[in-house]
Amino acid sequence: MTETSEHTITFNEIWLKFSHPVKDYIRKQTQNADITDDLLQDVFIKIHQNLHLLREEERVAGWVFQIARNTVLNYFRSKKRQLEDNELTDIEKEDEPFKENNFNEMVGIWLKEFKKDLDPKYQEALQLVDIEGISQVELAHRLGISVSGAKSRVQRGREQLKQKLIDCCPVKTDQYGNILEIQTKTGECLC
């Protein structure tokens, strides 16, 4: 097999770019610093062992967070089995902090990573409107553009971000926009 890529992403580059967001994601799921550190180490061991399987570097964010998600899921599945083996009551089993089908937070982290690949004018518009919460009218004033231009810029940025997510890992949502399922693209996407 010959490589046609001019640049192959290294493990160190992945570590530098994703170790903090992955750690934050794991910490929010486990709510335990020691478990977070252990799972973070497991995630990056898996990344190191499987880096040769990464075919498309632009899909690295989805791939990394899918490994993190699966590692956390496996942790809680094994924890659940241990609890069942100890015959704990149903009330004690409900104390588990992680919900397998709550993907909103994980996709939010992916979107932050995908946003970095957008044209800077769209990054700025989305940051100001969607993250900092300013109005599109105020955005227009800050940037010295028309209100319709500001609205257009925000809409285009959102559409490009949505397309990046769809291209990597299509999601199914409920009527309120909550993520119900993340689909994987076999052969194309490693998320």
Side-chain angles (χ1 to χ4, degrees):
M1 176 168 29
T2 59
E3 286 190 18
T4 57
S5 176
E6 294 177 16
H7 177 275
T8 303
I9 194 162
T10 66
F11 176 79
N12 287 340
E13 290 171 320
I14 293 173
W15 171 260
L16 290 173
K17 187 172 183 179
F18 295 104
S19 61
H20 291 293
V22 168
K23 186 172 186 173
D24 290 343
Y25 166 73
I26 295 171
R27 185 183 306 116
K28 287 177 184 173
Q29 299 303 322
T30 64
Q31 301 174 1
N32 181 300
D34 293 332
I35 293 169
T36 296
D37 290 340
D38 290 345
L39 293 180
L40 181 68
Q41 182 178 3
D42 290 348
V43 167
F44 278 91
I45 288 171
K46 291 173 186 174
I47 289 170
H48 187 268
Q49 291 172 338
N50 295 292
L51 188 57
H52 66 282
L53 298 175
L54 181 62
R55 297 281 183 244
E56 298 181 43
E57 288 185 31
E58 64 270 11
R59 301 189 189 282
V60 71
W63 183 67
V64 167
F65 279 98
Q66 186 65 37
I67 291 172
R69 175 184 167 269
N70 289 341
T71 301
V72 171
L73 284 172
N74 289 339
Y75 166 76
F76 280 110
R77 285 181 184 135
S78 70
K79 182 178 176 184
K80 184 177 178 182
R81 277 193 294 272
Q82 290 172 355
L83 292 176
E84 288 171 350
D85 289 345
N86 292 333
E87 299 179 354
L88 295 176
T89 66
D90 288 340
I91 294 171
E92 290 170 317
K93 289 179 186 179
E94 289 175 3
D95 289 338
E96 191 172 290
F98 183 78
K99 296 178 183 172
E100 284 188 28
N101 64 348
N102 187 359
F103 300 122
N104 292 345
E105 187 174 308
M106 182 172 57
V107 171
I109 293 170
W110 291 355
L111 290 174
K112 286 180 187 175
E113 289 302 316
F114 293 153
K115 189 175 82 168
K116 294 176 185 176
D117 296 331
L118 295 179
D119 183 296
K121 67 182 180 184
Y122 298 126
Q123 286 182 33
E124 180 182 28
L126 293 178
Q127 177 68 30
L128 292 172
V129 172
D130 291 341
I131 307 298
E132 295 179 22
I134 71 167
S135 70
Q136 293 181 8
V137 172
E138 186 176 335
L139 175 68
H141 287 94
R142 277 198 194 181
L143 300 179
I145 60 177
S146 68
V147 175
S148 65
K151 289 180 179 183
S152 178
R153 192 171 289 185
V154 169
Q155 187 61 31
R156 285 185 187 141
R158 287 176 181 164
E159 283 300 317
Q160 288 180 12
L161 204 54
K162 179 180 175 183
Q163 191 60 48
K164 285 185 175 292
L165 179 63
I166 290 169
D167 288 346
C168 181
C169 301
V171 296
K172 289 185 180 179
T173 60
D174 64 14
Q175 63 190 18
Y176 305 106
N178 294 309
I179 309 295
L180 299 175
E181 180 182 334
I182 298 174
Q183 302 170 8
T184 58
K185 289 187 170 183
T186 56
E188 287 183 29
C189 186
L190 297 172
C191 67

